[in-house]
């Protein structure tokens, strides 16, 4: 799997609070090109499938409830070293631990409502991008 793409979702809290524009500006400002993007709302089936790797975790139910609670923006992003650079840009999963200036430090409310998702590996970036986008826009 190439290392020049990653997948992101702007989560329901950030969409609801009007942060789509500011977050996309940060993403473009950091040198990522948006290759595909869609605004949609996940069904429970979608969210359970997307987060299947977390099915056994105690927070799985809360995660699915939250991710289906409102619209999200999903996108495939392109840049050299995309996965690692994007995870630096968004900051730690828990916003209380996120570095100053990161997207989660600026916009996340809590570890559950943490504003944005970024793939954790090149393989998962491919799987997650393909989950949202059809063959024409495929990862
Ligand atoms: P994300 O990077 O999208 O991938 C899994 C998500 O699970 C993570 O962001 C968090 O939003 C959520 N998550 C991780 N740990 C917890 C937790 N302890 N309580 C609630 N949600 C969590």
């Amino acid at each position: 799997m190439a290392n020049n793409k990653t997948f992101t979702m702007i989560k329901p809290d950030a969409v609801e609070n009007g942060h789509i524009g500011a977050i996309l500006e940060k993403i473009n400002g950091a040198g990522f090109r948006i290759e595909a993007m869609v605004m949609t709302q996940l069904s429970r089936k979608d969210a359970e499938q997307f987060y299947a790797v977390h099915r056994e975790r105690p927070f799985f139910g809360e995660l699915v409830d939250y991710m289906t609670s409102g619209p999200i923006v999903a996108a495939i992003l392109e840049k050299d070293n995309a996965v690692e650079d994007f995870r630096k840009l968004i900051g730690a999963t828990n916003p209380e631990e996120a570095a100053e200036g990161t997207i989660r430090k600026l916009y996340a409310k809590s570890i559950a409502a943490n504003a944005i998702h970024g793939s954790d590996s090149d393989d998962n970036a491919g799987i997650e991008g393909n989950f949202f986008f059809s063959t024409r826009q495929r990862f």
Side-chain angles (χ1 to χ4, degrees):
M1 175 64 64
N3 78 338
N4 66 337
K5 291 187 190 185
T6 191
F7 170 80
T8 188
M9 264 190 290
I10 302 175
K11 297 187 181 185
D13 60 302
V15 172
E16 171 67 23
N17 292 317
H19 298 315
I20 297 174
I23 290 174
L24 292 179
E25 218 165 283
K26 290 269 292 175
I27 290 172
N28 281 145
F32 291 88
R33 190 180 74 82
I34 298 170
E35 185 174 297
M37 185 160 66
V38 67
M39 187 168 181
T40 186
Q41 187 156 352
L42 297 174
S43 66
R44 290 197 75 80
K45 190 166 158 260
D46 290 337
E48 284 170 5
Q49 191 182 335
F50 185 86
Y51 283 115
V53 61
H54 297 302
R55 195 175 289 277
E56 303 307 323
R57 302 281 191 95
F59 58 81
F60 184 69
E62 182 190 351
L63 178 61
V64 170
D65 286 348
Y66 165 64
M67 288 303 299
T68 56
S69 67
I72 56 101
V73 174
I76 292 172
L77 306 175
E78 189 184 26
K79 180 185 182 297
D80 285 348
N81 202 35
V83 166
E84 194 184 332
D85 287 0
F86 194 68
R87 286 176 75 84
K88 276 191 201 135
L89 179 68
I90 68 179
T93 304
N94 183 348
E96 286 176 18
E97 293 164 12
E100 289 300 327
T102 59
I103 291 173
R104 283 173 171 156
K105 184 70 176 184
L106 289 166
Y107 302 115
K109 300 274 173 243
S110 67
I111 194 166
N114 66 352
I116 191 159
H117 170 82
S119 304
D120 64 3
S121 67
D122 292 337
D123 284 350
N124 281 339
I127 292 166
E128 293 171 359
N130 290 340
F131 182 86
F132 276 91
F133 295 97
S134 66
T135 40
R136 194 166 51 80
Q137 303 157 304
R138 221 171 171 87
F139 190 88

